[in-house]
Amino acid sequence: QKHHTHWLHNALFSNIPKKYWKKVHCVTNGYDVSDRDNIVIDKYDNGKIKFAYTGAMYGGLQSITPLFSCIRELINENKIKKDKVEIHFAGKNTAYEIFLSQAVKYKLSELCIYHGKVQRKEALKLQMESDILLVSAFDYQDNVMGVITGKALEYMSANKPIIAMISGDKDKSELAEIIQNGRLGIAYEEAHHAEDIKLLKEYLQNIFKEYEKKGEIAYEPNRSVLRKYDYRYLSKKMMKIMDAIMS
């Protein structure tokens, strides 16, 4: 099914006896570009950089705290202006309360704009009208399967930079690898907090500078990585596997 949690092949293979690997085929979840057909974008320019988070917070397991922390520091250092930032949220009220509570810790609640629980097309529209997409996930060392949230897959079709924030002690999450290899934005991992929080802050400072000069943020992903998660590619891959099995 679309946009559910996706278990990745690297971890799956590690749980299957090696002698059977040649018989195993893995077709990942992905995104459907046609989901965004006929969505009319109302891109309003108020001179503010717009972040957007759409979805759940899973009782607080997911955290946006690294983003709020970096934005607060940059404001305090006069490297960005508070009135040049908007952080949009679409989802259940219970999820927004968690999101807002994390913003409150850094005195950034006034930057948050709540859209309520919207239909999927409205969530996709909000993503397309924003400048940066936010996704949060959690991953742990004892999770032998590996995981990437379906929201990150959905974001891939929006043609926008992604900031992924991954809680947990996993040394190297598969979501972070995809973000990095695909040049999709930046991934912060709690397991590498000291290093990643500095990189996230630097990334934010750079995109604010770029937005101030150009009114937009450059996005040049590795299209060959993106293609691997496109349903048009995945469906062809599935058909080839089925043909090989049936022949």
Side-chain angles (χ1 to χ4, degrees), residues 11 13-14 19 24 31 39 42 48 53 67 96 103 106-107 124-125 131 144 162 176 178 202 205 212 216-217:
F13 268 69
S14 68
K19 63 181 179 179
V24 176
Y31 60 85
I39 295 178
D42 302 317
K48 297 184 179 184
Y53 186 103
L67 175 82
Y96 181 62
Y106 297 92
K107 299 180 181 179
L124 296 175
K125 183 174 185 289
D131 301 296
V144 296
I162 298 168
I178 292 171
E202 182 181 353
Q205 184 176 346
E212 193 172 28
E216 61 182 4
I217 300 165

Side-chain angles (χ1 to χ4, degrees), residues 31 33 155-160 181-184 219-230 232-233:
Y31 60 85
V33 291
Y155 282 173
M156 286 181 186
S157 64
N159 208 37
K160 302 284 182 178
N181 293 339
R183 299 196 300 270
L184 306 181
Y219 180 62
E220 298 175 351
N222 183 335
R223 297 289 175 184
S224 65
V225 171
L226 278 178
R227 178 177 173 270
K228 293 177 182 178
Y229 301 95
D230 188 324
R232 294 171 297 183
Y233 164 78

